[in-house]
Amino acid sequence: MDLLNNYLIYLIPVFGLIGIVFMAIKAAWVTKQDAGDGEMTKLAGYIADGAMAFLRAEWKILSYFVVVAGLLLAYSGTTVKTSSPVIAISFVCGAFLSAFAGYLGMRIATKANVRTTQAARTSLAQALKVSFTGGTVMGLGVAGLAIIGLGSLFIVFYTMYVRSQGLNVNGEGMAKALDVLAGFSLGAESIALFARVGGGIYTKAADVGADLVGKVEAGIPEDDVRNPATIADNVGDNVGDVAGMGADLFGSYVATMLATMVLGREIVSPDNFGGIAPILLPMVIAGLGLIFSIVGAAFVRIKNETDSVQKALNFGNWTSIILTAIATYFVVMWMLPDSSFHMMRDEIADGGVKEGSIQFTKMGVFGAIAVGLVVGTLMSMITEYYTAMGKRPVLSIIRQSSTGHATNIIGGLSVGMESTVLPILVLASGIYGSYHFAGLYGVAIAAAGMMATTAMQLSIDAFGPIADNAGGIAEMSRLPEEVRHRTDNLDAVGNTTAATGKGFAIASAALTSLALFAAFVGVAGIEHIDIYKADVLAGLFVGGMIPFIFSSLAISAVGRAAMAMVEEVRRQFREIPGIMEYTGKPEYEKCVAISTKASIREMVAPGLIALLTPIIIGFLFGPEVLGGLLAGVTVSGVLMGIFQSNAGGAWDNAKKSFEKGVMINGEMFYKKSEPHKASVTGDTVGDPFKDTSGPSMNILIKLMSIVSLVIAPHLHKEVKHSERLQKQLQERSMITHVLKVEKKA
Amino acid sequence: MDLLNNYLIYLIPVFGLIGIVFMAIKAAWVTKQDAGDGEMTKLAGYIADGAMAFLRAEWKILSYFVVVAGLLLAYSGTTVKTSSPVIAISFVCGAFLSAFAGYLGMRIATKANVRTTQAARTSLAQALKVSFTGGTVMGLGVAGLAIIGLGSLFIVFYTMYVRSQGLNVNGEGMAKALDVLAGFSLGAESIALFARVGGGIYTKAADVGADLVGKVEAGIPEDDVRNPATIADNVGDNVGDVAGMGADLFGSYVATMLATMVLGREIVSPDNFGGIAPILLPMVIAGLGLIFSIVGAAFVRIKNETDSVQKALNFGNWTSIILTAIATYFVVMWMLPDSSFHMMRDEIADGGVKEGSIQFTKMGVFGAIAVGLVVGTLMSMITEYYTAMGKRPVLSIIRQSSTGHATNIIGGLSVGMESTVLPILVLASGIYGSYHFAGLYGVAIAAAGMMATTAMQLSIDAFGPIADNAGGIAEMSRLPEEVRHRTDNLDAVGNTTAATGKGFAIASAALTSLALFAAFVGVAGIEHIDIYKADVLAGLFVGGMIPFIFSSLAISAVGRAAMAMVEEVRRQFREIPGIMEYTGKPEYEKCVAISTKASIREMVAPGLIALLTPIIIGFLFGPEVLGGLLAGVTVSGVLMGIFQSNAGGAWDNAKKSFEKGVMINGEMFYKKSEPHKASVTGDTVGDPFKDTSGPSMNILIKLMSIVSLVIAPHLHKEVKHSERLQKQLQERSMITHVLKVEKKA
C-alpha cells in the first residue's frame, strides 16, 4: 500500500496506455473485416478521402494558429512569476493530441461505415458489432490520449516545480505547475472550437444543400448516388458528429480534470500522497472510468435479429457507470483523509481555522461525485423526452404542422424554449448540491465524476454517425431491402443516442465551465464577483449577448454555404449529361471542396470572438468584470445550447414521424402530405440549430473559461497573488497544527 | 426662491394636473370630430364594444387579484418596522390609475380611429391631426395620472412618516415612506403584466386566426368585412398596442421615478429642499418632460399631401427631448449641491467619510441623465435599422426567401440574434457611463431622464394603432382609393414608430430593472451579490431560464388561441349562408369572445411565474440568491426581448417589401410569388414574437424587480436593517460635519 501511495502518480498514464492498447486491438479488428464489393468500397473511398481533405485543410489553418498562439503564450509565460514559457509546450501537446484523437476516430469511422454495411448483409448482431467497435476506437482513443497527456505532463511539472524545489504542495510551485498544465487544456479546447464549429458548418451546409436541390427540386431520395452533394453529406456526418463531438468531449474531459486539480491545490489534506490526493483524485477517477468503459463495451452485443440495439447500448452504458461509481467510492475512501479543508479566499487574516475555511468529509466528496453522475443521467433523459417520437413535445409539433409551415415553426420554437426549464433546474440543483457536499471542489469533482465514463459515452455517440453512413452506403449502392432494413434499425438508435449525447455534452460543458470559473477566481486572486457593481453587471450583459451573436454567425454561415452548394448542384445537373440516368458521374469532389472551404472560412469569426473577448475584457477591465462576462456567457450559452439543440431534435423527429404516418384529428397523414411538407421546413430550420449553433455553445463557454483561467495570473497585481499564496501557506500550517492536536486528543 | 424651495414638493402633482387638463381638451376635440357615415360608425362601434368587452373581462379577473394581493400586502406591512399596512392603499391606487389610464387611452383611440378615416376623406394633414391627437390623449393621460398619483402619495407619506415625526430625511422614516410608496409601482406593474401579456395574446390570436382562414383559405384580403375575425383583429390593435403599451410605459415611468427616489434616500445632500432634493429630482424631471411633451406635440403637423408624416413626428419628438434636456440642466444646477455623497453600503464602520462614500458632482448627475437620453435614442435607432425596409437585415431575409420557407426562417432568426449586439453594447456602456458619472444614483436617474418624455413617446406609439384601425375601417367600408391611400401612408409611418417604440420600451425596461435592482440591494440590506457563491450562481441560472419559459408559454398560448379562432371562422363560413356574397352577417362577437376568453385564461400562468418566483426564491434562499435570480432574469429577458421583437419586425417588413416588389438575383418578385409565400410564413412566426412574447419581456423583468423590492424589507433580519440605517445616520452626520468644516475653511 505504501508503494502504491508513492507511485500512484505514475499509475495514471498507465490507465491511459491500457485504453490505447485496447483501442489498437479494436481498430485492427475493424480493419480486417470485409469491406464489401467494388461499388461499396469506391463510395466509401470517396467519403474517406473527403473527410481527410477536410482534416488536412483544417490542420493547415490550425497549424498557423497553434504556432502564433504558442509563441504568444511562451512570451506571456515569461512575464509573471507563477507561470513559465513551458506553458507553450503544454499548449502544443494539448492541441496535437486532440487533433490526433480526432484523426484516429475519423480514420476508423470511415472504415467501419462500409464494413458495417457489409456486415449488415449477414446479421444485425454483426452489423452492431462492427459499428459499435468502430465507435469504441474513438471513445478509447480520446480518453486514452487525454489521460496519457495530462497525466504525463503533470508528472513532469510536479517534478520540475514542486518536488525538486522542495516546496509546499499547496504553495507557489504547485500553482505554477498547474498554470503551465492549463495550457494543455487550452490547446485541446482550441482545436475543439474549430472542429466543432467548422465541422458543424460543413455537415449542415452539405445536408441542407443536398436536400434542397436533391429532394425538393430533382425529386430523388436522400443518399442517392446521382446527387453530387451526397458524398459531402456523408463526409459531414464524420467531420461533424465524429471528429467534432470527439474534440468537444476531449476538451471537456481534460478541462474538468484540470479545474478540479486547480481547486484541489487549495485543499489541505496533509497525510495522503504527499498532500496531493485532492489533485490526483480527478485523474484517478478518469482512469477508473476508462477501464470500466472497456468492461462496459464488452456487454454491448445482441444475438438475434429481434433483440433491441438500444437495450444493448444502455446495458453497456449502465454497467460502466455503476462499476465506476462503486470503484470511485473505494478510491475516495482510500485516498482522502476523513476531513479536508478548503482554504478560504478571503478573511484568511481575521478568521480562525474553523471559521475561515470550509471543511468537508470524504463522504461529502463522494456525494458530490454522485451528484455529478445523477445530473448527467437526468440531462440525457430530459433531452430524450423533449426530442423523442411519440412524446408530448414532438406530438405537439406534429399537430401544429397541420395548420402550416408557420405554426410548425412556432411549435418547435416553443418546445425548444420550454425544454430549458428542467435541465436548468437539474443543473442549479447540481451546483447547489455538490457545493453543499464539498464546497467548490465539490462542484468541480461532480463534473469530473460525470465525465469519468467519457470513453463509453463517446463510443455510443460515434456509433451513430457510423451507422448513419452505413445506411447511406447501402442506399447509394442500392443493396437489398433486408440490408437497408438492418442499417435503418441501427440508424434509428443512432438518432436517439445523438439526442441523449447532446444532453450529456451540454451538461458536461456547463459543469466544466463552472469548475473552470471557480478555478479562475482563485487564480485571478479576486475575492468576489459582485454583480452589484456597475461594471461587473455590464460585463454580465455583454457576456450574455455573446452566445446570440455566435449562434447568429453559425446559422447564417450554414445558410450561405448551403446556398453555394445549391448553385453547384444545380450547375452539375445542368451541365453534366446523363447524371439522372446513372450514365454521367457527378463531380462529388467539387461539392466536398465547397463545404470544406466554407467551413474553414466561416469558423474564423466566431473563433476569434471566443478567443479574444476574454482577453480584451480581462486586460481592459480587470478580472472581476471578466468574471461577470464569464457568468453571462455560461448562463446564456447553456440556455441557447439547450434551446437550439432540443428544438432542432424535436423538429427532426416530428418530420420523421410522418414517414411512418401520424394521426391528426382523426385523420392519417403520410410523406408528401401538406403537414409533412410543413414538418420538412421545421426540420431544415432545425438542422443548423441542432448540429451547428446549438452544440457550438458547449465549446464557446468552455473555451472562454479556459482562456480566462490561462490569462488569470496576468490580470492581478503579482504582489497580491503572492500575498495570497503566503497567507494560504500560513493557514495551511495552522490547519495542519490543529489537526495534529485533535489527533492526539 | 425660498418659497419655491419650501413648496416644490407640492408643485409636482400640479405638473400632472396640467397634463390631465390638456388631455381633456384634446379628448373633447377628438370626440367632436365627424365620425362619418352609418357603415363606418357601425363598424367602429363593433370595435369599441369589443375593446370594452375585453377591458371588462380583464378588470373582473384583476379586481380579484388586486383584493387578494392587497390583503396580503396589508398583512405583510404589519410584520416589519420599516413597512406599514398602508402599502396596500398605495398598491390599489397604482393598480387603479394604471387601469384608468388604459381605459381613457383606449376609449379615445376607438373614437379617433373612425374619425381619422373620415378626416382622410379631406386631407392627409387633417387625418394626421386627428390620429395623433388621439395618441396624445393616451400619452398625456398616462404621464399625468402617474405623476399625480406618485407625487400626491409621496406628499402624504412624507408628511406622515418623516415631517410629522421630525425624523432624519435619510433615516428610517423616509425608508418607510418609500417602502410604502413602492406599493404604487407594484400595483401599476401588475396591471401592466396582465394588460401586456393578455393584450398581446388577444391581438395575435385574432390576427393569426383571421389571416390563416381569411387570406390563405378563403382568399379574401385583410380587413375584409366578410371575415368574422376582422373585428377581433382590429380590437386587438387597441388592446395590445394601445392599452398594453400604455400600461407598460406607465409602469416603467413610475418604477424609474420610484427606484431613483429609493436610491436618492441614501444621498446626503444637506442644504437643499430639506435634504430631499435627490428624492424629488426624478419627479421634477418627469414633470418637465410632461410639459415639454405638450409643447412638442404642438409641432407635429403637416400642411400638404406630400409632406412627410415621419418628419413631423420626429420634429415634435426632438423638440420635446431637447427642451426637456435643457430645462433639466437648469433644474439639476438649481436643486443639487455642488457635490453629494452616496452613503456606502458596506465598510461604513471602518471607512472614513471620504473613503467610505461615493462622491459625485451635480454636473455628474446631469451627465448621467444625458447618458440616459443618448441610450434611449440609440436603442430606437438600432431597432429601426434592424427592422426597416431597404436596410441590410431585411434585405438579407428577402434574399433568403427565394430558397423557401426554411431559409426565410433561418434568416430571420439569425437577424434577430445578431440584433442583440449593438443594443447590449449601448446598454452596457450606458450602465458603465452613468455609474461613472454619479454612482448607482446615476444609473437610476439616467433611466428617469430617458423616461422623461414618456408622454411624447407614448403619443407617437398610440398614433400607430389608431392609424392602423383607421385603415382597417376604410378597407371594411370600401371607401375610395384616395382615402385608403392616405390611411396607408399613416399606417406605414405607424409601423416604423411601432418598431422604434419597441426599442425604447425595451431600453426603458432594462434601465428601470437595473435601477430597481440597485434599490432592492439597498433595501434588502445586503452588501454584495457574489455570483462566485454556488447558491447565487444557481439563482442566476434559474433566473436566466425564466424568460425562456415565459416566452414559450406566451407563444404557445397564441398558437392555441389562433387555432380556436380558425375553427370558429371555418364554422361560420360553413354554417352562415351568404357571408361571401355580403348577404349574411358574420357573428363578429363570437370571435371577439374567443380572443377575450383565451387571452384572459392564458395570461394567468405566466403572470403567476413572474409574481411568485421572486417571493419563493427570496423567502427560501434569502436576498442574495434573489439578487442573482434578478440579474439572470434581466440579462436573459433583455436579450430575448430584443431578439424576438427585432426578428418579428424584420420578418414583417420583409413580407411587406414583396407588396411593392423586390429584386432578387436580377428578377422581380411580387405578392403571390413563391418567395412572397415564404415571407408570409416568417411574418406569421414573427407575429407572436414581436407583439406577444417579445414585449412581455419588458414587464417580466420590471415586475420581478419591483416584487423583490417590495418584499426586500421582509428578507433580512430586522436588526441588521436597523443597524444599517443607524450606521447611515452616523455617517450622514459625519459627512455633514465635514462639509460644514470645509465650507468654513
Side-chain angles (χ1 to χ4, degrees):
Chain A
M1 213 60 174
D2 255 6
L3 202 72
L4 203 53
N5 211 326
N6 284 331
Y7 292 98
L8 179 66
I9 189 170
Y10 300 105
L11 203 66
I12 290 167
V14 175
F15 285 127
L17 272 179
I18 296 174
I20 294 299
V21 168
F22 271 86
M23 181 201 82
I25 295 170
K26 282 168 191 278
W29 183 84
V30 168
T31 308
K32 73 165 203 269
Q33 299 304 306
D34 182 9
D37 62 31
E39 178 68 10
M40 284 163 67
T41 46
K42 205 174 71 190
L43 289 167
Y46 292 146
I47 298 174
D49 291 350
M52 282 315 297
F54 171 75
L55 274 198
R56 268 194 305 274
E58 192 190 49
W59 285 344
K60 201 173 140 196
I61 293 283
L62 289 185
S63 57
Y64 295 129
F65 164 76
V66 168
V67 168
V68 173
L71 287 176
L72 285 174
L73 273 173
Y75 166 74
S76 80
T78 62
T79 60
V80 287
K81 229 171 91 188
T82 46
S83 188
S84 154
V86 175
I87 190 172
I89 295 170
S90 253
F91 172 77
V92 174
C93 289
F96 174 76
L97 286 183
S98 171
F100 187 55
Y103 166 78
L104 289 177
M106 215 156 91
R107 184 104 201 154
I108 210 71
T110 53
K111 284 182 181 173
N113 54 6
V114 65
R115 288 164 173 78
T116 302
T117 315
Q118 180 63 12
R121 292 179 163 209
T122 352
S123 71
L124 183 64
Q126 191 61 16
L128 171 63
K129 193 170 176 193
V130 176
S131 53
F132 183 73
T133 308
T136 53
V137 171
M138 183 77 191
L140 295 177
V142 160
L145 289 176
I147 295 184
I148 292 177
L150 197 72
S152 317
L153 285 178
F154 179 69
I155 295 173
V156 173
F157 301 142
Y158 180 60
T159 313
M160 272 168 73
Y161 301 120
V162 187
R163 197 176 273 173
S164 69
Q165 316 267 323
L167 285 175
N168 186 293
V169 293
N170 298 115
E172 219 166 84
M174 187 60 95
K176 193 167 176 174
L178 292 172
D179 180 71
V180 170
L181 197 61
F184 185 79
S185 184
L186 178 62
E189 208 65 72
S190 303
I191 298 301
L193 173 82
F194 295 111
R196 191 54 132 163
V197 177
I201 293 172
Y202 188 114
T203 179
K204 289 303 123 172
D207 189 6
V208 173
D211 284 1
L212 281 178
V213 195
K215 277 200 222 168
V216 180
E217 291 183 15
I220 53 179
E222 185 147 359
D223 285 323
D224 191 293
V225 75
R226 291 169 293 178
N227 191 333
T230 191
I231 295 293
D233 188 7
N234 277 282
V235 171
D237 292 340
N238 288 294
V239 305
D241 298 345
V242 178
M245 177 66 108
D248 186 355
L249 289 191
F250 186 98
S252 292
Y253 193 58
V254 169
T256 44
M257 283 190 264
L258 178 83
T260 317
M261 291 162 79
V262 171
L263 287 162
R265 190 194 62 76
E266 305 187 354
I267 308 292
V268 183
S269 171
D271 290 335
N272 305 53
F273 304 93
I276 59 167
I279 300 179
L280 295 181
L281 185 61
M283 290 192 288
V284 174
I285 294 176
L288 292 173
L290 174 54
I291 301 300
F292 290 117
S293 292
I294 297 171
V295 175
F299 288 93
V300 178
R301 57 177 178 220
I302 57 169
K303 278 184 191 151
N304 306 312
E305 289 295 298
T306 52
D307 285 355
S308 162
V309 174
Q310 184 70 55
K311 267 190 195 151
L313 291 173
N314 289 349
F315 186 68
N317 191 17
W318 279 110
T319 304
S320 60
I321 290 177
I322 290 169
L323 290 179
T324 306
I326 294 170
T328 299
Y329 174 80
F330 289 106
V331 162
V332 169
M333 292 302 136
W334 168 57
M335 283 180 70
L336 294 186
D338 286 341
S339 72
S340 310
F341 292 87
H342 194 151
M343 299 183 291
M344 278 295 281
R345 297 167 188 290
D346 54 350
E347 296 153 31
I348 291 178
D350 46 297
V353 175
K354 294 279 153 143
E355 290 139 64
S357 310
I358 292 173
Q359 187 181 359
F360 53 83
T361 63
K362 58 185 177 186
M363 202 53 217
V365 172
F366 181 71
I369 295 170
V371 166
L373 290 171
V374 172
V375 167
T377 310
L378 285 177
M379 292 284 276
S380 296
M381 284 168 63
I382 296 165
T383 309
E384 199 191 333
Y385 169 74
Y386 273 101
T387 56
M389 288 193 207
K391 295 283 192 326
R392 180 188 59 79
V394 169
L395 289 178
S396 78
I397 297 177
I398 291 173
R399 213 165 36 245
Q400 287 180 275
S401 305
S402 69
T403 35
H405 301 263
T407 42
N408 166 282
I409 299 294
I410 291 178
L413 292 171
S414 169
V415 162
M417 290 176 185
E418 185 200 312
S419 76
T420 60
V421 176
L422 291 179
I424 290 293
L425 292 181
V426 166
L427 212 54
S429 312
I431 299 168
Y432 198 86
S434 55
Y435 184 84
H436 168 78
F437 279 124
L440 287 170
Y441 185 73
V443 177
I445 199 98
M450 191 180 138
M451 296 301 295
T453 56
T454 292
M456 186 68 192
Q457 300 298 335
L458 195 48
S459 305
I460 296 174
D461 284 344
F463 147 81
I466 292 173
D468 191 352
N469 254 238
I473 293 171
E475 185 78 30
M476 287 189 279
S477 322
R478 286 171 283 167
L479 294 187
E481 182 65 31
E482 58 162 13
V483 179
R484 279 191 265 171
H485 183 73
R486 289 192 188 111
T487 55
D488 282 355
N489 185 338
L490 291 181
D491 190 22
V493 176
N495 283 327
T496 306
T497 60
T500 53
K502 263 166 212 152
F504 180 82
I506 291 176
S508 78
L511 282 186
T512 305
S513 302
L514 293 176
L516 288 167
F517 179 67
F520 158 77
V521 173
V523 176
I526 46 180
E527 261 123 50
H528 309 287
I529 298 176
D530 188 359
I531 40 173
Y532 185 45
K533 292 184 186 157
D535 51 355
V536 180
L537 191 61
L540 192 73
F541 268 91
V542 173
M545 170 266 282
I546 288 176
F548 282 77
I549 181 63
F550 200 93
S551 296
S552 172
L553 287 173
I555 293 174
S556 57
V558 171
R560 271 192 301 274
M563 280 171 97
M565 188 67 82
V566 167
E567 301 290 319
E568 172 62 21
V569 174
R570 281 182 186 158
R571 186 195 67 76
Q572 293 200 19
F573 277 144
R574 208 172 45 232
E575 296 180 5
I576 302 173
I579 286 192
M580 273 306 172
E581 297 74 32
Y582 298 97
T583 53
K585 183 174 165 292
E587 297 168 0
Y588 301 123
E589 68 288 356
K590 294 237 164 112
C591 292
V592 167
I594 286 178
S595 252
T596 304
K597 244 189 237 164
S599 58
I600 301 290
R601 186 182 61 235
E602 303 276 7
M603 76 187 179
V604 175
L608 289 182
I609 291 179
L611 283 165
L612 296 183
T613 311
I615 298 177
I616 294 168
I617 298 288
F619 282 100
L620 279 185
F621 300 99
E624 195 169 352
V625 175
L626 177 54
L629 181 93
L630 286 183
V633 168
T634 307
V635 170
S636 161
V638 169
L639 284 162
M640 289 295 280
I642 298 172
F643 160 50
Q644 297 183 84
S645 296
N646 287 352
W651 269 318
D652 188 4
N653 273 335
K655 183 204 71 176
K656 287 218 175 81
S657 304
F658 280 97
E659 289 165 11
K660 296 182 184 165
V662 294
M663 173 93 74
I664 308 172
N665 295 333
E667 201 182 331
M668 282 300 288
F669 291 92
Y670 296 94
K671 246 178 150 166
K672 312 264 173 188
S673 62
E674 281 303 314
H676 172 253
K677 283 181 194 160
S679 77
V680 170
T681 297
D683 179 47
T684 312
V685 172
D687 266 342
F689 258 41
K690 75 177 199 302
D691 290 318
T692 314
S693 53
S696 67
M697 295 293 106
N698 302 351
I699 312 281
L700 175 71
I701 62 180
K702 283 184 295 170
L703 185 60
M704 287 184 64
S705 308
I706 185 82
V707 169
S708 305
L709 179 61
V710 168
I711 62 170
H714 304 267
L715 294 181
H716 58 85
K717 298 198 181 59
E718 205 163 326
V719 184
K720 204 174 165 196
H721 189 46
S722 290
E723 237 173 49
R724 234 184 101 246
L725 288 170
Q726 208 56 43
K727 271 188 191 168
Q728 288 192 339
L729 278 188
Q730 284 169 15
E731 200 196 2
R732 182 179 186 277
S733 63
M734 278 166 69
I735 293 175
T736 317
H737 177 71
V738 171
L739 285 177
K740 276 185 190 147
V741 174
E742 281 183 351
K743 218 172 189 177
K744 277 187 192 153
Chain B
M1 213 63 175
D2 255 10
L3 201 73
L4 202 54
N5 211 326
N6 285 329
Y7 292 99
L8 179 67
I9 189 170
Y10 300 107
L11 203 67
I12 290 165
V14 175
F15 285 126
L17 271 179
I18 296 174
I20 294 299
V21 169
F22 272 85
M23 181 200 82
I25 296 169
K26 282 167 191 280
W29 183 84
V30 169
T31 308
K32 74 165 200 269
Q33 300 304 305
D34 182 9
D37 63 28
E39 178 68 12
M40 284 164 64
T41 46
K42 206 175 70 188
L43 289 167
Y46 291 146
I47 297 174
D49 290 350
M52 284 313 300
F54 169 75
L55 275 197
R56 269 195 303 275
E58 192 191 47
W59 287 344
K60 199 173 142 195
I61 294 284
L62 289 186
S63 57
Y64 296 129
F65 163 75
V66 168
V67 168
V68 173
L71 288 175
L72 285 173
L73 274 173
Y75 166 74
S76 80
T78 61
T79 58
V80 285
K81 230 171 91 187
T82 49
S83 188
S84 152
V86 175
I87 191 172
I89 295 170
S90 251
F91 172 77
V92 173
C93 288
F96 174 77
L97 285 183
S98 171
F100 187 56
Y103 166 78
L104 289 177
M106 212 153 95
R107 184 105 198 152
I108 211 71
T110 52
K111 283 182 181 172
N113 53 7
V114 64
R115 287 165 176 79
T116 300
T117 314
Q118 180 65 12
R121 293 180 162 210
T122 354
S123 72
L124 182 63
Q126 192 61 17
L128 171 63
K129 191 170 176 191
V130 176
S131 52
F132 183 72
T133 308
T136 53
V137 172
M138 183 74 190
L140 296 176
V142 160
L145 289 177
I147 296 185
I148 293 178
L150 197 72
S152 316
L153 285 178
F154 179 69
I155 295 173
V156 173
F157 301 144
Y158 178 61
T159 314
M160 274 169 70
Y161 301 121
V162 187
R163 196 175 274 175
S164 69
Q165 318 267 322
L167 284 176
N168 187 294
V169 293
N170 298 114
E172 217 165 88
M174 186 62 94
K176 192 167 177 175
L178 292 172
D179 180 72
V180 171
L181 197 61
F184 185 79
S185 185
L186 179 62
E189 209 64 72
S190 305
I191 298 300
L193 173 82
F194 295 112
R196 191 56 131 161
V197 178
I201 294 171
Y202 188 112
T203 179
K204 290 302 123 173
D207 190 5
V208 174
D211 284 0
L212 281 178
V213 194
K215 279 199 220 169
V216 182
E217 292 184 13
I220 53 178
E222 184 146 359
D223 286 325
D224 191 292
V225 74
R226 291 170 291 181
N227 191 333
T230 190
I231 295 294
D233 188 5
N234 277 282
V235 171
D237 291 339
N238 288 294
V239 304
D241 297 344
V242 178
M245 177 66 108
D248 186 353
L249 289 191
F250 186 99
S252 292
Y253 194 56
V254 168
T256 43
M257 284 189 265
L258 178 85
T260 317
M261 292 162 79
V262 171
L263 288 161
R265 189 194 63 75
E266 305 186 355
I267 308 292
V268 183
S269 171
D271 290 336
N272 304 50
F273 304 95
I276 58 169
I279 299 178
L280 294 182
L281 185 61
M283 291 192 288
V284 174
I285 293 175
L288 291 173
L290 173 53
I291 301 301
F292 291 116
S293 292
I294 298 172
V295 175
F299 288 92
V300 177
R301 58 178 176 218
I302 57 169
K303 279 183 188 153
N304 306 313
E305 289 295 298
T306 52
D307 287 355
S308 162
V309 174
Q310 183 71 54
K311 270 190 193 152
L313 290 174
N314 289 349
F315 187 70
N317 190 17
W318 280 109
T319 305
S320 59
I321 290 176
I322 291 169
L323 291 178
T324 305
I326 295 169
T328 299
Y329 174 80
F330 290 105
V331 161
V332 168
M333 292 303 136
W334 168 57
M335 283 180 70
L336 295 186
D338 286 341
S339 71
S340 310
F341 292 87
H342 194 151
M343 299 184 290
M344 279 294 283
R345 296 165 192 292
D346 54 348
E347 296 154 31
I348 291 178
D350 47 296
V353 175
K354 295 276 153 142
E355 291 140 66
S357 310
I358 292 174
Q359 188 182 357
F360 53 84
T361 64
K362 58 186 176 184
M363 201 55 215
V365 172
F366 179 71
I369 296 171
V371 167
L373 290 172
V374 172
V375 167
T377 310
L378 286 178
M379 292 284 277
S380 296
M381 285 168 62
I382 296 166
T383 310
E384 200 192 330
Y385 169 73
Y386 273 102
T387 56
M389 288 192 207
K391 296 283 194 323
R392 181 189 57 81
V394 168
L395 289 178
S396 75
I397 297 178
I398 291 173
R399 213 165 34 246
Q400 287 179 277
S401 305
S402 70
T403 33
H405 301 263
T407 41
N408 166 282
I409 298 295
I410 290 177
L413 292 171
S414 169
V415 163
M417 288 176 185
E418 184 200 314
S419 77
T420 59
V421 176
L422 291 177
I424 290 293
L425 293 181
V426 166
L427 212 56
S429 313
I431 299 168
Y432 198 84
S434 55
Y435 183 84
H436 168 77
F437 280 123
L440 287 169
Y441 184 73
V443 177
I445 200 98
M450 189 179 140
M451 296 301 295
T453 56
T454 292
M456 186 69 191
Q457 301 298 335
L458 195 47
S459 303
I460 296 174
D461 285 344
F463 147 81
I466 292 173
D468 192 354
N469 254 239
I473 293 171
E475 186 79 30
M476 287 190 279
S477 322
R478 285 172 281 166
L479 294 187
E481 182 65 32
E482 57 161 13
V483 180
R484 277 191 265 171
H485 183 72
R486 290 194 187 109
T487 56
D488 281 355
N489 186 337
L490 291 182
D491 190 21
V493 176
N495 283 327
T496 306
T497 61
T500 53
K502 262 165 212 153
F504 181 82
I506 291 175
S508 78
L511 282 186
T512 305
S513 302
L514 293 176
L516 288 167
F517 178 68
F520 158 78
V521 173
V523 176
I526 46 181
E527 262 123 50
H528 308 288
I529 299 175
D530 188 359
I531 41 174
Y532 185 46
K533 292 183 186 158
D535 51 355
V536 180
L537 191 62
L540 192 74
F541 268 92
V542 174
M545 170 267 282
I546 289 176
F548 282 76
I549 181 64
F550 200 93
S551 296
S552 172
L553 286 172
I555 293 174
S556 58
V558 171
R560 271 192 301 274
M563 281 172 97
M565 188 68 81
V566 167
E567 302 288 319
E568 171 62 19
V569 174
R570 281 181 185 156
R571 186 195 67 77
Q572 292 200 22
F573 276 143
R574 208 171 46 232
E575 295 180 5
I576 303 174
I579 286 194
M580 273 306 172
E581 297 74 32
Y582 298 98
T583 53
K585 184 175 163 298
E587 297 169 358
Y588 301 123
E589 68 287 355
K590 293 237 164 110
C591 291
V592 168
I594 286 176
S595 252
T596 305
K597 243 189 237 162
S599 58
I600 301 290
R601 185 182 62 235
E602 303 276 7
M603 75 187 180
V604 175
L608 289 182
I609 290 178
L611 284 164
L612 296 183
T613 312
I615 298 177
I616 294 168
I617 298 289
F619 282 100
L620 279 185
F621 300 100
E624 196 170 351
V625 175
L626 177 54
L629 181 91
L630 286 183
V633 168
T634 308
V635 170
S636 158
V638 169
L639 283 162
M640 289 293 280
I642 298 172
F643 159 50
Q644 297 184 83
S645 295
N646 288 352
W651 270 318
D652 188 1
N653 273 335
K655 184 204 70 175
K656 287 218 174 82
S657 303
F658 280 99
E659 290 166 10
K660 296 181 182 166
V662 294
M663 173 92 72
I664 309 172
N665 295 334
E667 202 182 331
M668 284 298 290
F669 291 93
Y670 296 94
K671 248 179 146 163
K672 311 264 174 189
S673 62
E674 281 304 313
H676 173 252
K677 281 181 194 159
S679 78
V680 171
T681 297
D683 180 49
T684 313
V685 173
D687 267 341
F689 258 41
K690 76 178 197 300
D691 290 317
T692 313
S693 53
S696 67
M697 294 292 106
N698 303 350
I699 312 282
L700 174 71
I701 61 180
K702 285 184 294 170
L703 185 60
M704 287 185 63
S705 308
I706 183 81
V707 169
S708 305
L709 179 61
V710 168
I711 63 170
H714 303 267
L715 294 182
H716 58 87
K717 298 202 180 60
E718 204 162 330
V719 185
K720 202 173 165 199
H721 188 46
S722 290
E723 236 173 48
R724 232 183 104 247
L725 289 169
Q726 206 59 43
K727 273 187 191 170
Q728 288 193 336
L729 279 187
Q730 282 168 15
E731 200 197 2
R732 183 180 187 276
S733 63
M734 278 164 69
I735 294 175
T736 317
H737 178 69
V738 172
L739 285 178
K740 276 184 191 150
V741 173
E742 282 182 349
K743 219 173 190 174
K744 275 184 197 158

